Amino acid sequence: MRVRLRYFASLREALGTADERAVRDGTTAGALWSTLVREHPAVARVRVRFAVDERYVDADHVLADGDELAVFPPVSGGC
Amino acid sequence: MRVRLRYFASLREALGTADERAVRDGTTAGALWSTLVREHPAVARVRVRFAVDERYVDADHVLADGDELAVFPPVSGGC
Amino acid sequence: MFEIIDDAIDPMRLLAAVGDPSAGASVLFLGTTRNENVGRRVVRLEYEAFAGMATKEMRKLATQARRRWPLTRVAMVHRIGVVPVGESSVGIAVSAGHRTEAFEACHWLIDRLKEIVPIWKKEHFRGGTVWIGEQQGGPPVPATRSKTRRKAVR
Amino acid sequence: MFEIIDDAIDPMRLLAAVGDPSAGASVLFLGTTRNENVGRRVVRLEYEAFAGMATKEMRKLATQARRRWPLTRVAMVHRIGVVPVGESSVGIAVSAGHRTEAFEACHWLIDRLKEIVPIWKKEHFRGGTVWIGEQQGGPPVPATRSKTRRKAVR
């Protein structure tokens, strides 16, 4: 199945705005991110949070086909 | 000596905006007010504060010739 | 900016008065005539001030606030005369490097203003009027008896 | 009113959005780019948002605030793109029957917004840039090394 990826802020600068990956059934958000970190070790230090379809999810959230997984570095809105 | 008087809010409605009184040397703000209350018992219930020349003073503040004594009902500015 | 005015409060003037390149936070408080107070239907409020002393007291409060918190700028304005429902009677703006100081100082300033600044509020509600702050000891009195209000309230 | 916008924040729109005849207090918070941050000379800030989710999260925060305090109305807006020194990146307005609720809720909303709403801030300071929130573990890196910033910061 396929999952779209969205990156923001420093992750966007390192990995680009968006990506798409084929993953096995049962893959979690955290597992997919671990795979990506192995490809791009420079982002390993970033404490990330995940959102699927514009809602926060935990790292153990199981992805579904067509999901959009957004990966966030620490948010810093406000002032 | 002479002292001017200023009234506000409910006291202004009861006693008028301003007045002037001849008082003896050594008269305090509180003593002058007691005299006025005897003349106008309707204002006796009002908890008052005093200001002389636009500064708060205690009831035992001794008045000087030419002072302006302002008598305030409880303030209620704001909203 | 510390003013007693007799027309509408302009929030942009207050915000402009506290704008500063070193300020990271501005907090603006507006106190507004609401249509209800302790169960009474409020028609309008009417404010009276000892204007010269009121602006002095506002300045003193700002000075005290600056001693308690590291603030950038403070501005306070109070409107007098009739203030209809939905319009503001008081505006306080505070800027600071960081937001917590700005919130705390702004809240403290309006609390203290209500306690100390010589301004009085007469509430015109459906059925009567009352000077706020004097109604302890009895209910406000209907309009038809307003000439004897003080006695009745005692 | 819950918006991500890319031009200047208009405080009057926020205040108008929370105006209500039953509101006795309005508190407006503006977060502004200041010229200094932890000793760095700030030139400008640059914000990026996951806009659709950000407005949803702002609405959720407003709903949570309404559960905690009796509020009349809430409005939140965040600006993205470049925000120069002295201009506001975020504006939150809260109205309530009484002031304490309005102050507390407004303060809580900006605190929570900073923790949870998907918006990011890049600080451009004299000598470099840094994404705020990621700098734990090392100092921000000068502009000349910005390509290797992440490694250097680790």
Side-chain angles (χ1 to χ4, degrees), chain B residues 9-22:
Chain B
S10 64
L11 295 179
R12 175 183 52 73
E13 291 182 343
L15 306 176
T17 301
D19 198 353
E20 195 170 305
R21 293 285 166 134

